[in-house]
Amino acid sequence: MEFDIKKYKDTKKSNTGKHFFITTYGCQMNEEDSEKLSGMLKRIGYTKTESIEDASIVLFNTCCVRENAENKVFGNLGMMKKYKRKNPDLIIGICGCMMQQEGMADKVLKTFPYVDIIFGTHNSYKFPEYLNRVKTEGVQVKEILNKETEIIEGIPIDRENSTKAFVTIMYGCNNFCTYCIVPYVRGRERSRKSEEIIKEIKELVSKGYKEITLLGQNVNSYGKGLEETIDFAKLLRLINEIDGLERVRFMTSHPKDLNEDVISAIKECDKLCEQIHLPVQSGSNRILKEMNRHYDRERYMYLINKIKEEIPNATITTDIIVGFPGETEEDFNDTLSLVKEVGYNAAYTFIYSRRNHTPADRMENQVPDDVKHERFNKLVQAVNEGVIRSNKEYEGKIVEILVEGPSKNDETKLMGRTRNGKLVNFAGDKSLIGQLINLKIVRAQPFSLVGELL
Ligand code: SF4
């Protein structure tokens, strides 16, 4: 179904001086959803502001994957009371994964009755309609759909970056890992038609974008359920044909679904970057089974060795959870030994966080907090040793980077990434932003590289 913004068209004139402020929690999927919310608001005449003080609409796009993200949302909603008191016309909205949880929307309304709009992940395209209702009827709007809708194409997107963009290729997840709430709040897997994806990427290229990252909870199962005969490897090869596009990345892969065809596509297609994010979660077969991951350590290491053999310069990154219910010292040591065996270039490490309604939350053998923290520290140390070692290998090498913008830590410098995702800071003129350039790596730092223009 095509999104029709004309249905919600507000006049720019009536919105003069109207600003919106969005805070986004969680993953890239949420970031992309916020870019769409922002795109719709801009299309009906609003302007983005970085200051809550200036905003006439404040929107919280929430995440429920970890408990601390939820706590932050509650804290921020509490803080909004004073803004609403100062400006009763202020419209406060809350949306995203957290709102899809059973009973959460009612809890929010009860605790923070000054919230005006609540909606979930399946109906965010209706935000302009909800906004109109609040403005014209003066009502509070709460609409949470329990089931995913068909994919809505054509929603305007206000992208943060002008060099690289995220493009969602599929929504939802069918995997039901026992610790994860995503399938409950994002629904079942639905793939976008390849022609829609290609069309979006071509439009981005025509606007000067050089790099795209394909997004999905499980990109390797792309294509299932579509009328066309296509899988992820075929989609990658089609995207590689797009003229003017320089780099393609994707996330997230699932070790049960990543296959040799995808590895071959990365090896053979010049635009596919040599970077694979392959979440392992645990090195213990017993825990992987409890997590319902549908692969074992042997299958995972087979894939890692295949990637290393076929694409020797590929960087491999991962996600790891410590302290899953029932994790013993022996299980944890299996994770540590796997980390050392793979030698990751980066790892997102998490302490297991109980999530309501998930099977792991109901498991009785929860690991005590102090044990989880102790294991987490050991894991971070093991990961970091590997990262530092791999960064050192870049010293003296010439690398190609796409210049993304000012460095995060030092605004006088610029930053960019190598094809395989290494972050490089260097001194250079801002006119280089958006360009592919070669740099010499002069120093490796623990989490980044320092380069020099040639
Ligand atoms: S693959 Fe597992 S961890 Fe990833 S989104 Fe699906 S259920 Fe969650």
Side-chain angles (χ1 to χ4, degrees), residues 173 175-177 179-180 182-183 217 254 293:
C173 180
N175 286 322
F176 291 93
C177 301
Y179 53 85
C180 183
V182 167
Q217 307 292 353
H254 195 302
R293 293 287 290 173

Side-chain angles (χ1 to χ4, degrees), residues 66 68 277 280-281 317-323 332 335-336 339 344 346-353 372 375-384 387 447:
R66 314 199 61 74
N68 55 2
H277 184 68
V280 67
Q281 307 301 7
T317 59
T318 197
D319 297 338
I320 306 172
I321 297 173
V322 288
F332 174 65
T335 299
L336 277 187
V339 164
Y344 290 110
Y348 299 93
T349 47
F350 303 96
I351 292 176
Y352 168 71
S353 172
K372 285 191 211 169
R375 287 180 190 166
F376 179 76
N377 291 339
K378 278 190 195 162
L379 175 66
V380 170
Q381 196 185 339
V383 168
N384 289 352
V387 176
F447 303 106

